[in-house]
Amino acid sequence: MDGTEDQDAPVPREGRWALIVDGIVREIVTLDPVGRFHSDLEFVEVGEDVDLGWVAEDGVITAPRVPAVDLVAVMASAVEAIGRLASDYRQRLSGASDPYKAAIYNQRAGYGRQILAGTASEAMIETARAECLRLASLDLEDARAQGLVAGEEDMPDPQAMAGVWLALDERLAMLAAEIDRRETNAVLAIGRRRTADGIAEALAIARGEIETWAAGVAR
């Protein structure tokens, strides 16, 4: 053997060939496959853009079809997510995640309005007086600072208690209104996006802004 057979062997042509299996590009080779693979394998010469997973049909190789994105459904899902988040924070910030507590808040606010208007029943006034005493027993200095008790004998003041209840009710209403505003702005921002990625981005931004604001309010 003098090595002349190796020297005379043809050099495989360079390029790009796709191995087609069941109509799908399964492999890309860069040397001419003729004589290098089993003859039963189907190789087709392709351009630089063809990649694994492309589809071969009737002698034409094309990129796989990407399912159309239902933007309406994506947007509806994002809006629903913001709605759930806003609802959750309404409950958390009001301290009324418990329906019983929510009913108590509403009842106390109603008592407060009637006490200050002079139309409260004796039972309502006694409730306010009892609440003053409860707070005074927990922290007398704080109760005095709020005007809940007055004088040397620290007499409970139902009207002062009514004012506290209404101040709480007003704060809860303001928080609820702010959450409503932020939810509306988030929905509008989501509605302005025209791609699934854009909708996801708008949702992430809105979620972050609401959570950051709510964390600040809760401090």
Side-chain angles (χ1 to χ4, degrees), residues 5-13:
E5 291 183 5
D6 289 342
Q7 294 175 3
D8 295 337
V11 177
R13 183 165 60 94

Side-chain angles (χ1 to χ4, degrees), residues 32-212:
D32 192 339
V34 174
R36 300 176 56 241
F37 296 90
H38 195 283
S39 58
D40 287 345
L41 296 177
E42 180 185 2
F43 281 91
V44 177
E45 191 166 6
V46 296
E48 291 292 333
D49 58 333
V50 175
D51 207 345
L52 300 180
W54 282 42
V55 179
E57 188 174 2
D58 297 330
V60 179
I61 299 179
T62 57
R65 296 182 182 87
V66 178
V69 176
D70 186 348
L71 286 182
V72 172
V74 173
M75 193 171 292
S77 177
V79 169
E80 183 180 352
I82 284 295
R84 287 196 303 269
L85 181 68
S87 177
D88 179 54
Y89 275 112
R90 281 189 194 94
Q91 292 184 338
R92 283 201 224 174
L93 295 176
S94 69
S97 53
D98 182 338
Y100 174 75
K101 288 183 179 178
I104 292 296
Y105 286 161
N106 292 333
Q107 182 186 59
R108 295 287 171 83
Y111 283 4
R113 292 187 186 91
Q114 292 184 58
I115 288 171
L116 293 180
T119 59
S121 66
E122 281 299 319
M124 290 180 190
I125 293 174
E126 283 306 312
T127 297
R129 187 172 284 121
E131 188 71 1
C132 286
L133 287 171
R134 186 185 70 81
L135 291 175
S137 67
L138 293 176
D139 188 342
L140 185 57
E141 284 192 20
D142 186 50
R144 284 174 178 160
Q146 294 186 54
L148 299 177
V149 292
E152 295 181 0
E153 298 180 3
D154 295 318
M155 293 297 294
D157 185 347
Q159 289 197 340
M161 191 69 241
V164 171
W165 286 338
L166 289 178
L168 173 62
D169 187 58
E170 183 179 352
R171 179 176 184 274
L172 299 185
M174 289 175 62
L175 290 177
E178 180 61 17
I179 293 176
D180 288 346
R181 186 186 71 80
R182 289 175 179 271
E183 180 183 8
T184 298
N185 288 345
V187 170
L188 291 174
I190 290 169
R192 286 193 289 268
R193 302 303 180 101
R194 292 295 177 265
T195 65
D197 287 345
I199 291 170
E201 180 185 32
L203 173 60
I205 291 172
R207 185 188 297 276
E209 289 178 347
I210 291 175
E211 289 176 347
T212 299

